[in-house]
Amino acid sequence: GTGPTAMVDLRYEGHGVLISSEWIVTVAHTVFGNYQGNSINVGGKDYEIAYVIRHPDYHKIDPSVFVGDAAPSQALLRANHDIALIKLTQPVTCVKPMSLYTGKAEIGQTVSIYGKGTSGNGQTGQTAYGRGQLRRAKNRIDRTSEQWISYTFDQGENALPLEGIQGGGDSGGPALLKVDGMDQLIGLSSWISYDGDMGDFQAGVYGLSANLVRLNYYSDWIGDIQSLPTSALQAQHYRAEPAEQ
């Protein structure tokens, strides 16, 4: 099936979502390499990227912490602010932007999660890698904290018919909630909770919990950035470090 038309594929991996005619929201950790001046496809048409603004409290986590006990890397992930905005040079006219969920009643809600990342199943975990076909899963929000909403990959009688969890390459993919029959953007796939030794970590297996960027937590920041003059956007624009290009 087709996903939400406001969902976009980012340049290298992961996704974003069009939230106004000139702005895409995504997770900061999936924006690397040089974006400015390059194009991004929205609704079948290419648009040029003007600026990328990563949240000021986003920190790139050094890969060296993802070894041994998971607790230190989990603490860094939990404390992070994994959100970025992409400004286009021209407004998108062919696609209706996705409206943001502004409520606070996430717990117990069923969301639809979209992505084109790795696939597999809950017994064996991830098996197929690379950007594949669009997939959709459903899950039930069971926890919230300040900047995160979370869900657990259940099996058996606790599972929904399309129960699933985000995989590698799904970062920034939308979690949508139906409100009065209309989809609203409630979160973006960001990271997986894990307790134990990183050497034993298996992605995509039952029992894992996934954490979505809680967009209502960032609504003020998003609005503030969208209202900035161009000169201020230029000053905040993310520039790829040479090592990342």
Side-chain angles (χ1 to χ4, degrees):
T2 58
T5 54
M7 177 179 166
V8 297
D9 295 343
L10 295 190
R11 282 179 60 72
Y12 304 105
E13 62 179 51
H15 308 287
V17 183
L18 188 75
I19 54 167
S20 75
S21 62
E22 295 180 0
W23 289 92
I24 291 164
V25 68
T26 185
V27 289
H29 82 257
T30 201
V31 177
F32 53 86
N34 191 18
Y35 269 63
Q36 192 176 30
N38 281 302
S39 67
I40 192 165
N41 192 288
V42 185
K45 192 172 168 214
D46 285 341
Y47 292 86
E48 190 184 335
I49 295 166
Y51 303 107
V52 175
I53 313 291
R54 297 209 288 203
H55 193 280
D57 295 321
Y58 168 73
H59 302 288
K60 187 172 157 60
I61 300 176
D62 193 292
S64 66
V65 302
F66 292 98
V67 292
D69 180 22
S73 60
Q74 288 283 308
L76 289 169
L77 288 163
R78 186 167 298 286
N80 216 354
H81 291 271
D82 191 17
I83 186 170
L85 288 164
I86 297 171
K87 170 82 160 64
L88 305 174
T89 60
Q90 288 179 297
V92 175
T93 54
C94 57
V95 171
K96 188 172 182 282
M98 181 71 66
S99 56
L100 298 178
Y101 173 74
T102 55
K104 293 277 192 281
E106 297 105 334
I107 291 179
Q109 301 276 15
T110 295
V111 294
S112 296
I113 306 140
Y114 293 85
K116 295 183 184 176
T118 50
S119 58
N121 66 58
Q123 267 97 18
T124 57
Q126 284 184 182
T127 49
Y129 291 87
R131 184 172 277 170
Q133 66 195 74
L134 180 77
R135 278 176 301 277
R136 176 179 70 133
K138 294 210 168 188
N139 217 307
R140 199 178 285 107
I141 303 301
D142 54 21
R143 292 182 323 289
T144 60
S145 57
E146 280 197 330
Q147 71 262 46
W148 307 109
I149 50 181
S150 309
Y151 63 86
T152 306
F153 191 17
D154 293 316
Q155 62 178 321
E157 60 189 25
N158 292 330
L160 298 166
L162 279 173
E163 185 86 14
I165 191 168
Q166 68 188 59
D170 287 337
S171 293
L176 304 183
L177 176 66
K178 278 249 189 285
V179 180
D180 297 328
M182 301 291 287
D183 282 329
Q184 291 188 352
L185 182 64
I186 192 170
L188 303 170
S189 292
S190 178
W191 59 286
I192 301 288
S193 294
Y194 178 67
D195 185 21
D197 189 278
M198 288 305 296
D200 300 324
F201 175 72
Q202 202 181 354
V205 293
Y206 288 126
L208 288 176
S209 285
N211 303 286
L212 303 160
V213 174
R214 190 182 194 184
L215 287 170
N216 66 29
Y217 178 85
Y218 293 104
S219 59
D220 288 350
W221 177 74
I222 291 169
D224 289 348
I225 295 295
Q226 287 177 329
S227 63
L228 286 176
T230 303
S231 55
L233 291 175
Q234 180 66 43
Q236 291 200 41
H237 172 70
Y238 155 75
R239 288 166 186 79
E241 297 87 8
E244 286 190 326
Q245 281 178 347

